[in-house]
């Protein structure tokens, strides 16, 4: 068999077999996917932080429904970046503990902090933004704060810390 004839037969066959394999794997994944394990698209690649939350994500993470707002952090509410008079904005950075791994939106500690502050001083427009990202360490949290601090204009930044946040810092 000549080389030309071999290429004419084997190249199209290889391409068809490859496409068929990809289609079969995709079909199998879609049929086997368990939404309680999560919905694809939760994380996006980020050159500075490694990954970030996908703005507008609605799905499951760690078996519970999760909402990522238009600014890319966990909240069912969308916010204007510009603060209105009387607003006190708190950014809470951290890892999965701050994010609320496995908890509902209204049971994360940043959400509960906002509720307590509103009870304490209802005359202030409290905004507590949950910037926690599962898997983050202190270097990634600092990179996140550096990236958004001038845009978001916080009055206070809080870093939720857990011992494993010191791992893999650069």
């Amino acid at each position: 068999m000549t080389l030309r004839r071999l290429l004419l037969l084997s190249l199209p066959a290889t391409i068809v077999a490859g496409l068929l394999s990809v289609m079969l794997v995709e079909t199998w994944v879609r049929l086997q996917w368990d939404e309680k394990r999560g919905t694809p698209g939760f994380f996006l690649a980020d050159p500075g932080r490694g990954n970030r939350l996908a703005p507008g994500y609605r799905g499951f993470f760690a078996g519970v429904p999760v909402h990522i707002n238009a600014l890319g952090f966990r909240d069912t509410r969308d916010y204007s970046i510009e603060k209105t008079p009387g607003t006190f904005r708190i950014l809470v950075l951290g890892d999965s503990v701050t994010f609320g791994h496995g908890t509902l939106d209204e049971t994360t500690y940043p959400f509960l902090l906002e509720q307590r502050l509103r009870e304490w001083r209802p005359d202030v427009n409290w905004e507590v933004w949950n910037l926690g990202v599962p898997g983050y360490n202190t270097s990634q949290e600092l990179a996140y704060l550096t990236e958004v601090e001038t845009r978001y204009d916080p009055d206070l930044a809080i870093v939720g810390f857990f011992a494993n946040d010191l791992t893999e810092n650069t």
Side-chain angles (χ1 to χ4, degrees):
M1 196 183 265
T2 68
L3 180 61
R4 182 172 184 225
R5 187 169 182 195
L6 183 64
L7 284 176
L8 285 174
L9 292 175
S10 63
L11 187 60
T14 302
I15 291 171
V16 169
L19 289 173
L20 190 58
S21 297
V22 168
M23 289 172 38
L24 287 172
V25 168
E26 178 70 20
T27 302
W28 180 81
V29 168
R30 287 177 185 256
L31 291 173
Q32 296 298 315
W33 192 263
D34 178 6
E35 281 196 3
K36 291 182 180 175
R37 289 184 12 222
T39 304
F42 179 71
F43 286 115
L44 297 176
D46 185 275
R49 295 186 269 145
N51 61 42
R52 61 185 170 89
L53 302 177
Y57 175 85
R58 297 283 186 266
F60 288 84
F61 183 78
V64 296
V66 171
H67 301 91
I68 306 302
N69 68 15
L71 293 174
F73 60 86
R74 185 173 186 178
D75 206 312
T76 57
R77 304 163 289 184
D78 283 317
Y79 295 91
S80 169
I81 292 178
E82 290 186 27
K83 286 192 296 188
T84 58
T87 297
F88 193 92
R89 182 173 292 160
I90 302 171
L91 304 183
V92 185
L93 297 111
D95 62 5
S96 58
V97 175
T98 300
F99 175 82
H101 184 100
T103 65
L104 299 172
D105 293 326
E106 61 274 4
T107 59
T108 64
Y109 81 80
F111 184 88
L112 295 173
L113 172 62
E114 182 177 294
Q115 301 313 305
R116 293 294 185 319
L117 290 170
R118 287 178 181 208
E119 290 171 11
W120 173 60
R121 292 280 310 272
D123 57 312
V124 176
N125 180 26
W126 298 99
E127 291 182 353
V128 180
W129 293 7
N130 182 351
L131 274 55
V133 179
Y136 266 24
N137 60 34
T138 51
S139 293
Q140 290 167 301
E141 293 156 8
L142 177 60
Y144 195 179
L145 179 61
T146 302
E147 177 185 321
V148 300
E149 70 180 321
T150 55
R151 230 175 17 157
Y152 291 175
D153 190 26
D155 297 292
L156 177 66
I158 298 172
V159 177
F161 180 79
F162 195 74
N164 70 346
D165 292 349
L166 290 175
T167 61
E168 299 181 25
N169 280 319
T170 55

